[in-house]
Amino acid sequence: DENDIAKDEL
Amino acid sequence: MNIFRLVGDLSHLLAILLLLWKIWKTRSCAGVSGKSQIMFGLVYITRYLDLFTNFISIYNTTMKAIFIAVAIATIYLIYFKFKATYDSNHDTFRMEFLIVPVGGLAFLVNHDFTALEILWTFSIYLESVAILPQLFMISKTGEAETITSHYLFALGSYRALYIVNWVYRYYFEGFFDLIAIVAGCVQTILYCDFFYLYVTKVMHGKKLSLPA
């Protein structure tokens, strides 16, 4: 979901 | 990936390598808050638990591994190898006053009530206040070694650049993560006082000393 996008940041 | 986030990550990498180098070269961790370093170690470990389960890119995995390794090495130097030079009398900030409220907040305010997500949220909140023992220590000693102030400048700049990255991603990718943004703003605001001193003093070749 959209929240998983956030996890591409360190 | 955008330039702001890339420069931010490199600034972050520079900061932690600068600190490790300073302690190793001077064989002393005088003026360095071990408590902040422990909390940064906790930040990386709780945030990068997906290091082996969630592959994003070579860059992402490499940086995560480096951050964890450098943090552990720094903590080892402070509390073991150069323990004699650790200034525990001035590193007196109570970590539990930060970790407990942050832990509670992570349970209450998060995107998803799962273990991994709560730990990630805990890590984001903890990172925003992890520098407080270090800033507190500098206020107690009244000064900081120039190399330590460069470390703080690079570390503070990294999250400031991430804020620009989030603005960029909002406008160009329609993406934003409020938890990371709010915590990132708090984190950067905590550095403002230091940034002012750094620009007005260190940039002019003076030693960073707080008004007594």
Side-chain angles (χ1 to χ4, degrees), chain B residues 70-85:
Chain B
V70 171
I72 291 172
T74 304
I75 291 167
Y76 167 73
L77 291 187
I78 293 173
Y79 285 100
F80 297 92
K81 193 151 179 63
F82 301 126
K83 184 177 177 57
T85 65

Side-chain angles (χ1 to χ4, degrees), chain B residues 109-185:
Chain B
V109 182
N110 52 59
H111 289 310
D112 201 15
F113 201 74
T114 61
L116 217 53
E117 188 63 28
I118 288 176
L119 283 170
W120 178 83
T121 310
F122 169 76
S123 160
I124 291 287
Y125 293 153
L126 184 62
E127 186 188 7
S128 63
V129 293
I131 201 62
L132 282 174
Q134 179 65 65
L135 296 177
F136 182 73
M137 183 175 191
I138 290 176
S139 70
K140 280 192 80 173
T141 55
E143 63 173 15
E145 285 181 40
T146 303
I147 188 83
T148 309
S149 52
H150 293 323
Y151 156 72
L152 283 169
F153 183 73
L155 195 62
S157 306
Y158 128 73
R159 214 60 180 171
L161 284 160
Y162 253 70
I163 293 174
V164 182
N165 151 66
W166 288 320
V167 171
Y168 177 91
R169 292 190 80 177
Y170 177 69
Y171 283 113
F172 292 93
E173 299 170 29
F175 156 82
F176 71 98
D177 180 332
L178 214 49
I179 284 178
I181 292 170
V182 172
C185 290

Side-chain angles (χ1 to χ4, degrees), chain A:
Chain A
D1 62 346
E2 68 88 20
N3 183 44
D4 286 343
I5 312 171
K7 301 305 181 289
D8 73 343
E9 293 182 347
L10 289 176

